[in-house]
Protein backbone atom coordinates (compact mmCIF):
# COMPACT_ATOMS: atom_id res chain seq x y z
CA UNK A 1 0.00 0.00 0.00
CA UNK A 2 1.21 3.48 -0.82
CA UNK A 3 -1.66 5.75 0.23
CA UNK A 4 -4.85 6.04 2.24
CA UNK A 5 -6.87 5.83 -0.96
CA UNK A 6 -5.27 2.51 -1.92
CA UNK A 7 -5.83 1.15 1.58
CA UNK A 8 -9.51 2.08 1.49
CA UNK A 9 -9.98 0.61 -1.99
CA UNK A 10 -8.92 -2.80 -0.66
CA UNK A 11 -11.55 -2.80 2.12
CA UNK A 12 -14.75 -4.91 1.85
CA UNK A 13 -17.86 -2.79 1.11
CA UNK A 14 -19.21 -2.89 4.68
CA UNK A 15 -15.87 -1.89 6.15
CA UNK A 16 -15.46 0.87 3.57
CA UNK A 17 -18.90 2.26 4.52
CA UNK A 18 -17.95 2.25 8.21
CA UNK A 19 -14.65 3.93 7.35
CA UNK A 20 -16.51 6.72 5.55
CA UNK A 21 -18.84 7.19 8.52
CA UNK A 22 -16.05 7.23 11.10
CA UNK A 23 -13.85 9.66 9.22
CA UNK A 24 -16.78 12.00 8.50
CA UNK A 25 -17.54 12.17 12.22
CA UNK A 26 -13.87 12.66 13.02
CA UNK A 27 -13.69 15.56 10.56
CA UNK A 28 -16.64 17.20 12.33
CA UNK A 29 -14.88 16.84 15.68
CA UNK A 30 -11.65 18.24 14.25
CA UNK A 31 -13.49 21.31 12.99
CA UNK A 32 -14.68 21.95 16.56
CA UNK A 33 -11.06 22.19 17.79
CA UNK A 34 -9.48 24.99 15.69
CA UNK A 35 -6.85 25.70 18.36
CA UNK A 36 -5.11 22.41 17.58
CA UNK A 37 -5.99 22.09 13.89
CA UNK A 38 -2.29 21.82 12.97
CA UNK A 39 -2.11 18.53 14.91
CA UNK A 40 -5.31 16.85 13.69
CA UNK A 41 -5.33 14.67 10.57
CA UNK A 42 -8.37 12.77 9.24
CA UNK A 43 -8.21 10.23 6.37
CA UNK A 44 -9.73 11.55 3.14
CA UNK A 45 -10.14 15.10 4.45
CA UNK A 46 -7.94 17.99 3.36
CA UNK A 47 -5.83 19.43 6.15
CA UNK A 48 -6.49 23.15 6.73
CA UNK A 49 -2.78 23.97 7.16
CA UNK A 50 -0.56 21.36 5.54
CA UNK A 51 -0.80 20.71 1.80
CA UNK A 52 0.86 17.33 2.36
CA UNK A 53 -1.45 16.48 5.28
CA UNK A 54 -2.60 13.17 3.81
CA UNK A 55 1.00 12.12 3.15
CA UNK A 56 1.91 12.93 6.75
CA UNK A 57 -1.11 10.98 7.95
CA UNK A 58 -0.24 7.96 5.81
CA UNK A 59 3.28 7.95 7.26
CA UNK A 60 1.76 7.91 10.75
CA UNK A 61 -0.56 5.04 9.77
CA UNK A 62 2.35 3.05 8.37
CA UNK A 63 4.57 3.63 11.40
CA UNK A 64 1.97 3.35 14.16
CA UNK A 65 -0.76 1.02 12.84
CA UNK A 66 0.52 -1.09 9.96
CA UNK A 67 3.72 -2.26 11.69
CA UNK A 68 1.48 -4.48 13.84
CA UNK A 69 -2.13 -4.20 12.61
CA UNK A 70 -5.14 -5.34 14.60
CA UNK A 71 -6.51 -7.22 11.60
CA UNK A 72 -6.19 -6.73 7.85
CA UNK A 73 -9.16 -4.35 7.77
CA UNK A 74 -8.41 -2.07 10.74
CA UNK A 75 -9.74 1.43 10.13
CA UNK A 76 -7.65 4.53 10.96
CA UNK A 77 -10.01 7.25 12.17
CA UNK A 78 -7.96 10.25 13.28
CA UNK A 79 -4.34 11.04 14.10
CA UNK A 80 -3.70 13.73 16.70
CA UNK A 81 0.01 14.35 16.59
CA UNK A 82 3.08 15.55 14.78
CA UNK A 83 6.23 14.13 13.24
CA UNK A 84 9.85 14.69 14.17
CA UNK A 85 13.22 14.14 12.53
CA UNK A 86 15.38 11.66 14.43
CA UNK A 87 18.77 12.94 15.52
CA UNK A 88 20.75 10.07 14.05
CA UNK A 89 19.04 9.35 10.72
CA UNK A 90 16.97 12.51 10.04
CA UNK A 91 14.11 10.12 9.28
CA UNK A 92 10.64 11.54 9.95
CA UNK A 93 8.86 9.65 12.72
CA UNK A 94 5.22 10.03 13.70
CA UNK A 95 4.38 10.87 17.30
CA UNK A 96 1.09 11.30 19.11
CA UNK A 97 -2.22 9.47 19.20
CA UNK A 98 -3.82 7.42 16.42
CA UNK A 99 -7.44 6.33 16.94
CA UNK A 100 -8.63 3.30 14.96
CA UNK A 101 -11.87 1.37 15.15
CA UNK A 102 -10.15 -1.13 17.46
CA UNK A 103 -7.56 0.66 19.55
CA UNK A 104 -5.81 3.86 20.51
CA UNK A 105 -2.15 3.76 19.46
CA UNK A 106 0.33 6.04 21.21
CA UNK A 107 3.91 6.84 20.28
CA UNK A 108 6.10 9.35 22.08
CA UNK A 109 9.60 7.99 21.46
CA UNK A 110 11.93 7.61 18.49
CA UNK A 111 14.64 5.17 17.43
CA UNK A 112 17.75 5.59 19.54
CA UNK A 113 21.16 3.96 19.84
CA UNK A 114 19.88 1.80 22.69
CA UNK A 115 16.70 0.59 21.04
CA UNK A 116 13.83 1.11 18.68
CA UNK A 117 11.03 3.50 19.57
CA UNK A 118 7.90 1.42 20.13
CA UNK A 119 4.23 2.41 20.10
CA UNK A 120 1.86 1.49 22.92
CA UNK A 121 -1.70 0.42 22.32
CA UNK A 122 -4.91 0.66 24.31
CA UNK A 123 -7.72 -1.57 22.99
CA UNK A 124 -11.12 0.08 22.68
CA UNK A 125 -13.67 -1.47 25.03
CA UNK A 126 -16.99 -0.82 26.70
CA UNK A 127 -16.93 -1.34 30.45
CA UNK A 128 -19.87 -1.57 32.87
CA UNK A 129 -20.29 2.23 32.99
CA UNK A 130 -20.93 2.56 29.27
CA UNK A 131 -19.27 4.01 26.19
CA UNK A 132 -18.62 7.57 27.40
CA UNK A 133 -16.96 6.46 30.63
CA UNK A 134 -14.88 3.85 28.82
CA UNK A 135 -13.72 6.39 26.22
CA UNK A 136 -12.73 8.81 28.99
CA UNK A 137 -10.79 6.09 30.81
CA UNK A 138 -8.91 4.98 27.67
CA UNK A 139 -7.97 8.53 26.71
CA UNK A 140 -7.00 9.45 30.27
CA UNK A 141 -4.65 6.48 30.59
CA UNK A 142 -2.96 7.35 27.30
CA UNK A 143 -2.70 11.08 28.06
CA UNK A 144 -1.27 10.51 31.55
CA UNK A 145 1.39 8.10 30.28
CA UNK A 146 2.50 10.36 27.43
CA UNK A 147 5.99 11.85 27.55
CA UNK A 148 4.98 15.47 27.18
CA UNK A 149 8.53 16.66 27.87
CA UNK A 150 9.56 15.36 24.45
CA UNK A 151 6.88 17.54 22.85
CA UNK A 152 7.24 20.69 24.94
CA UNK A 153 8.58 22.73 22.03
CA UNK A 154 5.44 21.93 20.02
CA UNK A 155 2.59 21.24 22.44
CA UNK A 156 1.83 23.44 25.44
CA UNK A 157 -0.37 22.60 28.42
CA UNK A 158 -3.52 24.06 26.84
CA UNK A 159 -2.91 22.08 23.63
CA UNK A 160 -2.54 18.88 25.67
CA UNK A 161 -5.94 19.51 27.24
CA UNK A 162 -7.48 19.97 23.76
CA UNK A 163 -5.80 16.73 22.70
CA UNK A 164 -7.48 14.96 25.61
CA UNK A 165 -10.92 16.35 24.83
CA UNK A 166 -10.65 15.45 21.16
CA UNK A 167 -9.49 11.91 21.93
CA UNK A 168 -12.40 11.30 24.30
CA UNK A 169 -14.86 12.55 21.69
CA UNK A 170 -13.23 10.57 18.85
CA UNK A 171 -13.17 7.32 20.84
CA UNK A 172 -16.77 7.85 21.96
CA UNK A 173 -18.09 8.39 18.42
CA UNK A 174 -16.00 5.48 17.15
CA UNK A 175 -17.39 3.08 19.76
CA UNK A 176 -20.94 4.31 19.08
CA UNK A 177 -20.55 3.81 15.34
CA UNK A 178 -19.03 0.35 15.71
CA UNK A 179 -21.79 -0.65 18.15
CA UNK A 180 -24.43 0.56 15.69
CA UNK A 181 -23.22 -2.02 13.16
CA UNK A 182 -23.96 -4.84 15.58
CA UNK A 183 -20.29 -5.67 15.98
CA UNK A 184 -19.46 -7.07 19.41
CA UNK A 185 -17.13 -4.85 21.43
CA UNK A 186 -14.84 -6.32 24.06
CA UNK A 187 -15.20 -5.57 27.75
CA UNK A 188 -12.49 -3.93 29.83
CA UNK A 189 -9.16 -5.68 29.17
CA UNK A 190 -7.38 -7.77 31.77
CA UNK A 191 -3.64 -7.27 32.21
CA UNK A 192 -1.53 -10.10 30.77
CA UNK A 193 -0.02 -12.54 33.24
CA UNK A 194 2.80 -13.65 30.93
CA UNK A 195 5.81 -11.43 31.58
CA UNK A 196 6.71 -10.82 27.94
CA UNK A 197 3.15 -9.91 27.03
CA UNK A 198 2.93 -7.64 30.07
CA UNK A 199 6.24 -5.97 29.18
CA UNK A 200 4.77 -5.17 25.77
CA UNK A 201 1.50 -3.89 27.26
CA UNK A 202 3.44 -1.54 29.51
CA UNK A 203 5.41 -0.12 26.60
CA UNK A 204 8.71 -1.63 27.79
CA UNK A 205 9.25 -3.96 24.84
CA UNK A 206 12.07 -1.88 23.33
CA UNK A 207 13.84 -1.60 26.68
CA UNK A 208 13.71 -5.29 27.63
CA UNK A 209 16.32 -7.96 26.96
CA UNK A 210 15.76 -11.71 27.25
CA UNK A 211 18.38 -14.35 27.96
CA UNK A 212 17.18 -16.61 25.12
CA UNK A 213 17.61 -13.87 22.51
CA UNK A 214 20.75 -14.70 20.52
CA UNK A 215 21.56 -11.08 19.75
CA UNK A 216 21.95 -10.43 23.49
CA UNK A 217 24.00 -13.56 24.24
CA UNK A 218 27.28 -11.65 24.68
CA UNK A 219 25.57 -9.09 26.90
CA UNK A 220 24.26 -11.77 29.26
CA UNK A 221 27.61 -13.58 29.25
CA UNK A 222 29.28 -10.38 30.49
CA UNK A 223 26.48 -9.84 33.00
CA UNK A 224 26.97 -13.34 34.41
CA UNK A 225 30.52 -12.40 35.40
CA UNK A 226 29.41 -9.23 37.15
CA UNK A 227 26.14 -10.46 38.65
CA UNK A 228 26.09 -14.26 39.12
CA UNK A 229 22.80 -16.08 39.72
CA UNK A 230 21.92 -18.84 42.16
CA UNK A 231 21.99 -22.41 40.80
CA UNK A 232 18.90 -22.95 38.65
CA UNK A 233 17.77 -19.31 38.87
CA UNK A 234 16.10 -18.12 35.67
CA UNK A 235 16.14 -14.61 34.18
CA UNK A 236 12.65 -13.41 33.26
CA UNK A 237 13.43 -9.96 31.84
CA UNK A 238 16.37 -7.59 31.94
CA UNK A 239 16.51 -3.82 31.58
CA UNK A 240 20.16 -3.05 31.10
CA UNK A 241 22.87 -1.46 29.00
CA UNK A 242 26.61 -1.74 28.52
CA UNK A 243 29.56 0.65 28.61
CA UNK A 244 33.32 0.18 28.58
CA UNK A 245 32.98 -0.37 32.32
CA UNK A 246 30.73 -3.35 31.69
CA UNK A 247 27.00 -4.08 31.80
CA UNK A 248 24.69 -2.44 34.30
CA UNK A 249 20.99 -2.29 34.99
CA UNK A 250 18.15 -4.26 36.51
CA UNK A 251 16.77 -7.75 36.01
CA UNK A 252 13.83 -9.78 37.26
CA UNK A 253 14.39 -13.48 37.85
CA UNK A 254 12.12 -16.18 39.18
CA UNK A 255 13.60 -15.53 42.65
CA UNK A 256 15.14 -12.07 42.92
CA UNK A 257 15.13 -8.49 41.81
CA UNK A 258 18.77 -7.93 40.89
CA UNK A 259 20.70 -4.89 39.71
CA UNK A 260 24.13 -3.43 39.26
CA UNK A 261 25.18 0.19 38.99
CA UNK A 262 28.20 1.23 36.93
CA UNK A 263 31.37 0.29 38.78
CA UNK A 264 29.37 -0.99 41.75
CA UNK A 265 28.75 -4.34 43.38
CA UNK A 266 25.51 -6.14 42.48
CA UNK A 267 22.41 -5.71 44.63
CA UNK A 268 19.79 -8.41 45.17
CA UNK A 269 16.37 -8.37 46.83
CA UNK A 270 14.52 -11.67 47.22
CA UNK A 271 11.08 -11.59 45.62
CA UNK A 272 9.35 -12.23 48.95
CA UNK A 273 11.09 -9.23 50.53
CA UNK A 274 9.92 -6.68 47.95
CA UNK A 275 7.42 -4.34 49.65
CA UNK A 276 4.83 -3.81 46.93
CA UNK A 277 3.38 -0.60 48.35
CA UNK A 278 6.87 0.85 48.81
CA UNK A 279 8.09 0.24 45.24
CA UNK A 280 8.72 3.60 43.61
CA UNK A 281 11.25 5.66 41.69
CA UNK A 282 13.81 7.10 44.10
CA UNK A 283 12.94 10.80 44.60
CA UNK A 284 16.69 11.47 44.84
CA UNK A 285 17.57 9.69 41.59
CA UNK A 286 15.44 9.20 38.48
CA UNK A 287 17.44 6.10 37.53
CA UNK A 288 16.86 4.16 40.75
CA UNK A 289 13.92 2.18 42.07
CA UNK A 290 13.28 1.57 45.76
CA UNK A 291 12.01 -1.98 46.31
CA UNK A 292 11.85 -1.90 50.13
CA UNK A 293 13.46 0.00 52.99
CA UNK A 294 17.17 0.09 52.24
CA UNK A 295 16.75 -1.83 48.96
CA UNK A 296 17.65 0.46 46.05
CA UNK A 297 18.16 -0.78 42.49
CA UNK A 298 19.75 0.98 39.51
CA UNK A 299 18.33 0.96 35.98
CA UNK A 300 19.73 2.57 32.81
CA UNK A 301 19.43 6.34 32.75
CA UNK A 302 18.26 6.36 29.12
CA UNK A 303 14.87 5.07 30.28
CA UNK A 304 12.54 8.02 30.68
CA UNK A 305 9.95 8.90 33.29
CA UNK A 306 7.21 6.90 31.59
CA UNK A 307 9.38 3.79 31.27
CA UNK A 308 10.43 4.14 34.92
CA UNK A 309 6.79 4.27 36.00
CA UNK A 310 6.00 1.22 33.89
CA UNK A 311 8.97 -0.61 35.39
CA UNK A 312 7.67 0.15 38.89
CA UNK A 313 4.31 -1.36 37.93
CA UNK A 314 5.98 -4.45 36.45
CA UNK A 315 8.02 -5.02 39.62
CA UNK A 316 4.92 -4.64 41.79
CA UNK A 317 2.95 -7.17 39.74
CA UNK A 318 5.92 -9.56 39.68
CA UNK A 319 6.31 -9.31 43.47
CA UNK A 320 2.60 -10.00 43.96
CA UNK A 321 2.84 -13.11 41.82
CA UNK A 322 0.48 -11.72 39.19
CA UNK A 323 3.06 -12.39 36.46
CA UNK A 324 4.12 -15.87 35.44
Amino acid sequence: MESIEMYESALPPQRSALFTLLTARAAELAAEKPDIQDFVFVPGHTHPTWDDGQDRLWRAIEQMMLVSPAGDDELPVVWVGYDVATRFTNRREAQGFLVTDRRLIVKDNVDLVFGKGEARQYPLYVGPNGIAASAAAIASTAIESYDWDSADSLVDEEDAEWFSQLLVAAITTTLEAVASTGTAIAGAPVAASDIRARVKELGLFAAAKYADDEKHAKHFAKFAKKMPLDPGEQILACFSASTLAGPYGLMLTDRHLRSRGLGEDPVSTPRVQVEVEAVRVNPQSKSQIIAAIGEVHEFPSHLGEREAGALVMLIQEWAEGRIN
Side-chain angles (χ1 to χ4, degrees):
M1 297 292 178
E2 297 180 357
S3 67
I4 295 170
E5 291 78 10
M6 292 180 65
Y7 186 81
E8 182 180 8
S9 68
L11 294 171
Q14 288 185 325
R15 296 293 289 168
S16 181
L18 179 59
F19 184 57
T20 300
L21 173 62
L22 290 172
T23 53
R25 292 185 177 181
E28 293 173 358
L29 294 174
E32 296 172 3
K33 301 290 188 291
D35 288 349
I36 55 169
Q37 67 177 14
D38 286 357
F39 301 103
V40 184
F41 300 79
V42 180
H45 292 262
T46 302
H47 195 280
T49 303
W50 313 114
D51 292 338
D52 62 345
Q54 291 299 293
D55 293 332
R56 295 186 184 207
L57 173 58
W58 179 245
R59 180 165 57 235
I61 292 170
E62 285 186 309
Q63 294 179 356
M64 297 176 68
M65 187 184 91
L66 293 180
V67 289
S68 182
D72 294 335
D73 58 351
E74 185 174 13
L75 306 176
V77 178
V78 59
W79 173 44
V80 186
Y82 48 91
D83 55 21
V84 297
T86 60
R87 183 182 306 172
F88 301 103
T89 66
N90 206 36
R91 173 176 176 263
R92 305 300 297 184
E93 290 196 32
Q95 306 281 277
F97 308 84
L98 177 61
V99 178
T100 81
D101 67 317
R102 292 168 181 160
R103 54 185 172 155
L104 170 60
I105 308 169
V106 180
K107 193 168 187 293
D108 54 13
N109 51 23
V110 297
D111 291 351
L112 297 172
V113 171
F114 295 105
K116 183 176 176 57
E118 296 287 340
R120 304 184 297 284
Q121 61 177 331
Y122 304 87
L124 302 193
Y125 66 87
V126 178
N129 295 322
I131 286 177
S134 300
I138 295 167
S140 177
T141 300
I143 287 287
E144 290 175 2
S145 71
Y146 198 79
D147 182 8
W148 293 106
D149 290 342
S150 66
D152 60 1
S153 64
L154 295 171
V155 183
D156 60 28
E157 188 173 340
E158 184 178 358
D159 290 334
E161 177 57 31
W162 284 116
F163 274 35
S164 179
Q165 292 180 22
L166 179 56
L167 287 174
V168 172
I171 295 171
T172 298
T173 58
T174 297
L175 286 169
E176 289 174 344
V178 173
S180 72
T181 67
T183 302
I185 302 174
V190 177
S193 59
D194 173 77
I195 191 164
R196 299 195 187 196
R198 187 60 178 143
V199 162
K200 190 170 184 178
E201 286 180 351
L202 290 171
L204 291 169
F205 178 79
K209 294 181 176 69
Y210 299 105
D212 60 359
D213 188 335
E214 291 185 1
K215 68 175 179 285
H216 293 139
K218 291 183 179 179
H219 180 77
F220 281 101
K222 292 178 181 178
F223 231 139
K225 297 177 182 179
K226 299 289 187 179
M227 194 162 66
L229 306 180
D230 294 340
E233 187 175 3
Q234 297 180 355
I235 299 172
L236 303 180
C238 186
F239 303 88
S240 56
S242 289
T243 70
L244 294 176
Y248 71 102
L250 177 150
M251 68 169 62
L252 295 175
T253 79
D254 59 339
R255 305 176 194 178
H256 297 87
L257 170 61
R258 296 183 178 275
S259 66
R260 177 182 182 268
L262 277 175
E264 299 179 1
D265 293 331
V267 177
S268 175
T269 303
R271 188 172 186 166
V272 295
Q273 292 182 16
V274 173
E275 298 175 9
V276 176
E277 298 301 323
V279 178
R280 65 191 185 281
V281 175
N282 187 353
Q284 305 303 318
S285 174
K286 294 182 179 180
S287 60
Q288 292 180 338
I289 286 178
I290 298 172
I293 296 176
E295 301 288 328
V296 180
H297 292 268
E298 195 91 14
F299 62 88
S301 58
H302 69 264
L303 298 184
E305 183 178 350
R306 185 197 62 76
E307 288 91 351
L311 195 52
V312 165
M313 187 175 296
L314 182 70
I315 292 170
Q316 290 173 325
E317 295 177 3
W318 164 82
E320 290 178 324
R322 291 159 57 188
I323 293 177
N324 299 325

